[in-house]
Amino acid sequence: MEPNVTAALHALDGSGLPWLLLRGEDDLAQPSGDVDILVASGLLPVLDGLLEAAGFRRVLAPGHGSHRFYFCYSATAEAWVKLDIVSDIAFGPYQQWRTSLALPCLGRRVRSGPLWLPAPPDQAWLQLLHLFLDKGQIAPPRMEAVGNAAAAASADDFIARFVDRRMGPGTAANVLELVRTVRFDGVPAAAAAMTSRWSGGPAVPRLIAARHRGLRLLGARLQDRGPVVGVMAPDGAGKTTLLRGLQAAVPLPTKYVYMGMWGAGPWDSWLGRVPGGRSAKKVYRVVRGGLLARSWSLLGRLVLMDRVPYDALLPGAVPDCPGRAVDSALNGILAKVTSAVALMVVGPPDLLLVLDVPGQVMFDRKGEHSPEILEGWRLAYRNIAAQLPGSYVIDAAQAQERVLGESTGLVWRRIAPAPVPAPAPRAGQGPGAGAGEETADALSLHLWRLLDWRFLLPDLQARSVAYGGATAPDMAAALHLLDPSVTALPPDQHPGGTYGVVLLTAPDRAAFRSALAAVEPGGWMCVEARRSLFQRSGPRTLKGWKNALVRSGFQDVSVFWNAPSLDHTARIVPVASAVGIRDTLALHKDVRFGRAKSLAARLALILGLFDLAVPEGTVTGRRPPEEPQ
């Protein structure tokens, strides 16, 4: 497999939650398209962090349902890798045909070497529905694959029965008949009939499609501020060619901004007669282009800036401005002042690429000026690049493909954080087989703070430990260091065993159901949760989790406040201890809004609602031991 794909799958395996590759298992050495992956919904809260550690960067794309897109650039192969990860299975160009197939498909997944794949009948039907409902036709390159899928599918399969329930009896058999008899010209009509018969009518899917279509007008964006990439070089070095190449080759949301400080304009003859006129024009264009670049950057676009304000500091470096030499001391002062103002307002780019080409080569390319003049400009650019942070000199005399590849690598290094090296699996193991087997030397000491929940239980050394929910990689590593036999629980599935302690992190209802079945009689459950009014599944407060444990028959249920937060716990305070809460609140009176927060917390304490108001904490409970026979 391509190394970046291997790193991503290793990260998913290390989460302990189920995932599977939807299609394209034979195309992972050099993925030509998206790598389509289905994950459990419990993975979503930690998915960005997992894949960022594997070297990927997320691009937010509103209006695509549950799809999440992650990108990575391989400098060695000079190729991009794109992950398309979903937590729901939905069909249609706007994901308007929603299904409930995700959880059953994850539950029946099968292992194939380092990969998790759908069960063969599920994989066949997902392929068929993808072509019928998403594409609406079967293109010639896909005919062989769809024929193989139809041969592996049956009208009695689980997904076939779902199709008949949603789109009418006999629909699945009709799909198989069309493909097996090679009547591909009838697929568009059959696909239209399938969507028109969707149970409940097409009104709701139409509303979903309209909503997603509207959201897509917002455009894709990077998760954070997009970097501004500037290019400096004399004319003939290939600035515009490189930037247009980056715009076409980089599959991230980009914006091209042309500064054009000295470009010709209709008012040039008039401005030339006004003292400081040309300087004012320069400042206007620099500030306009700079503010535009920064605005697009704040909107999450990668900004490609053609020419940068530093060009104005290089005497004679801009050949397309005849007559810009000043005739008086006043104009000279104005030029210096306006250059300083422009640089101060616009600010430097995040990454500056300086194209280095010998003067003779630039002259041969454009035939403008002379090799000597161009060589002087070249040396001036190299000199200023040596003084500017974040600048790189690129040999632009080499082939354009090499210049583009080297520049793309530098851009990616500026966009993406350095990936965290993952431990290599032992021989014969797939990605993630060695998850959690890191040594103590490879772990930061702060990871031991993640095990604070142990001190809330009567026995520090539990007989057996399992974990579930949205467990982050560092928590999983700490748990495996504590107990190498620790087990990750699959959500909403029978765990296949029971454990003395089950730890849940930000769980949903599916993870909670799995944990209930996994706690042995006399064993303990610990739920680490945050108050969230927008949580899709499960209780939204610590009091809600307390009530959920009580309703499930647990005893000795207690609520603890992790102050100030689960990520940076300084104190673990029993919510039943009013004295402990007041003492802890007194420690936070000097933080921002600390007095207001303390007053609100004290009011909640007086009203007996502190377990409802506490923002982050841990809820523990013990399953009653079995009565002796």
Side-chain angles (χ1 to χ4, degrees):
M1 288 192 295
E2 200 277 334
N4 294 289
V5 175
T6 301
L9 300 187
H10 179 100
L12 295 178
D13 263 342
S15 72
L17 295 172
W19 62 270
L20 59 83
L21 183 72
L22 284 168
R23 59 185 70 88
E25 61 268 25
D26 297 326
D27 191 34
L28 295 182
Q30 292 181 330
S32 57
D34 300 354
V35 179
D36 298 305
I37 299 173
L38 173 67
V39 302
S41 59
L43 251 173
L44 298 182
V46 298
L47 189 58
D48 292 351
L50 286 175
L51 294 179
E52 182 176 298
F56 284 79
R57 182 73 185 271
R58 184 180 177 189
V59 170
L60 302 175
H64 288 82
S66 71
H67 287 257
R68 292 188 178 203
F69 303 105
Y70 299 86
F71 290 85
C72 180
Y73 179 71
S74 171
T76 55
E78 294 188 353
W80 290 87
V81 178
K82 177 184 177 184
L83 306 181
D84 182 355
I85 298 183
V86 296
S87 56
D88 294 316
I89 295 178
F91 299 101
Y94 295 99
Q95 292 77 47
Q96 66 267 40
W97 312 107
R98 294 179 173 176
T99 75
S100 57
L101 297 174
L103 197 58
C105 287
L106 287 169
R108 289 192 298 273
R109 62 179 184 154
V110 294
R111 192 78 177 183
S112 176
L115 302 174
W116 286 103
L117 300 176
D122 293 348
Q123 189 172 34
W125 274 107
L126 291 176
Q127 172 80 347
L128 291 169
L129 294 178
H130 170 63
L131 293 175
F132 272 72
L133 300 179
D134 288 342
K135 306 298 182 182
Q137 61 179 347
I138 299 176
R142 297 179 179 267
M143 289 180 178
E144 181 180 356
V146 77
N148 294 334
S154 164
D156 296 325
D157 294 331
F158 171 81
I159 295 182
R161 296 196 299 271
F162 169 85
V163 169
D164 286 345
R165 288 196 303 271
R166 277 297 179 94
M167 291 169 270
T171 302
N174 184 50
V175 168
L176 294 178
E177 183 184 3
L178 280 174
V179 176
R180 289 171 180 173
T181 56
V182 199
R183 289 188 288 133
F184 297 135
D185 56 342
V187 170
M194 291 168 68
T195 56
S196 67
R197 294 197 303 267
W198 193 269
S199 64
V204 172
R206 278 202 298 267
L207 291 175
I208 295 172
R211 176 176 177 271
H212 287 178
R213 191 183 298 113
L215 289 173
R216 291 187 190 185
L217 296 176
L218 300 174
R221 62 182 179 88
L222 295 171
Q223 260 187 314
D224 305 311
R225 184 182 71 85
V228 178
V229 179
V231 176
M232 281 178 60
D235 285 348
K239 296 187 299 296
T240 303
T241 300
L242 171 61
L243 287 168
R244 292 300 186 188
L246 286 171
Q247 190 177 26
V250 176
L252 304 175
T254 62
K255 279 294 177 181
Y256 179 91
V257 175
Y258 177 68
M259 299 293 285
M261 290 173 287
W262 302 111
W267 304 99
D268 284 358
S269 59
W270 181 78
L271 289 172
R273 296 192 294 269
V274 177
R278 293 190 60 82
S279 296
K281 170 187 172 182
K282 178 188 70 176
V283 170
Y284 166 72
R285 290 192 172 183
V286 168
V287 173
R288 179 197 61 184
L291 294 179
L292 185 62
R294 294 298 168 183
S295 299
W296 285 120
S297 172
L298 291 174
L299 291 174
R301 269 64 167 185
L302 166 65
V303 179
L304 304 175
M305 184 184 288
D306 192 342
R307 305 178 186 270
V308 294
Y310 295 123
D311 283 342
L313 301 181
L314 298 172
V318 186
D320 56 347
C321 52
R324 79 179 176 92
V326 295
D327 298 325
S328 65
L330 175 61
N331 278 348
I333 294 173
L334 284 174
K336 292 180 180 179
V337 171
T338 53
S339 294
V341 170
L343 289 171
M344 180 178 64
V345 172
V346 174
D350 300 298
L351 173 66
L352 181 61
L353 305 179
V354 180
L355 304 186
D356 183 41
V357 184
Q360 183 63 51
V361 175
M362 287 188 282
F363 179 77
D364 293 340
R365 288 178 177 176
K366 297 196 71 172
E368 296 180 358
H369 308 288
S370 68
E372 292 75 22
I373 292 177
L374 292 171
E375 184 66 23
W377 287 342
R378 172 201 182 192
L379 296 177
Y381 277 109
R382 289 177 61 93
N383 180 59
I384 196 171
Q387 305 174 39
L388 297 176
S391 62
Y392 295 85
V393 177
I394 297 176
D395 178 11
Q398 58 186 330
Q400 292 181 2
E401 294 79 7
R402 298 289 302 276
V403 176
L404 178 60
E406 185 177 345
S407 302
T408 304
L410 291 171
V411 170
W412 175 248
R413 281 167 51 187
R414 183 62 185 81
I415 292 174
V420 178
R426 297 194 300 268
Q429 292 180 316
E437 296 180 5
E438 296 89 340
T439 64
D441 293 337
L443 292 174
S444 301
L445 291 177
H446 82 278
L447 293 182
W448 289 106
R449 299 298 299 274
L450 298 172
L451 304 178
D452 284 344
W453 54 269
R454 294 177 301 155
F455 302 100
L456 308 180
L457 306 180
D459 187 0
L460 285 178
Q461 296 297 327
R463 293 181 298 279
S464 54
V465 179
Y467 64 91
T471 307
D474 51 358
M475 170 65 91
L479 288 170
H480 280 275
L481 187 63
L482 175 69
D483 182 359
S485 63
V486 67
T487 302
L489 295 177
D492 208 19
Q493 298 181 43
H494 194 279
T498 56
Y499 304 89
V501 174
V502 174
L503 174 67
L504 292 179
T505 304
D508 56 13
R509 289 192 183 278
F512 184 62
R513 285 193 295 265
S514 180
L516 287 176
V519 180
E520 66 184 24
W524 289 81
M525 183 186 296
C526 298
V527 180
E528 293 186 342
R530 292 177 170 86
R531 184 185 62 218
S532 174
L533 299 179
F534 302 102
Q535 183 169 325
R536 292 184 177 181
S537 174
R540 294 173 170 81
T541 64
L542 267 68
K543 182 178 180 63
W545 283 110
K546 174 184 176 181
N547 293 337
L549 286 174
V550 171
R551 287 195 301 269
S552 300
F554 280 71
Q555 300 175 346
D556 303 324
V557 179
S558 301
V559 181
F560 299 87
W561 173 27
N562 288 64
S565 68
L566 286 167
D567 296 327
H568 303 284
T569 300
R571 281 189 172 194
I572 300 179
V573 186
V575 170
S577 172
V579 174
I581 292 173
R582 292 192 184 97
D583 289 346
T584 304
L585 292 173
L587 299 175
H588 296 279
K589 63 181 180 181
D590 296 327
V591 303
R592 189 181 185 189
F593 304 123
R595 293 186 181 278
K597 292 178 180 178
S598 178
L599 180 61
R602 290 176 185 275
L603 179 61
L605 185 62
I606 293 172
L607 297 176
L609 301 175
F610 195 80
D611 54 355
L612 190 65
V614 66
E616 302 180 35
T618 306
V619 182
T620 63
R622 180 174 63 93
R623 182 181 291 280
E626 291 182 343
E627 296 291 337
Q629 298 291 335

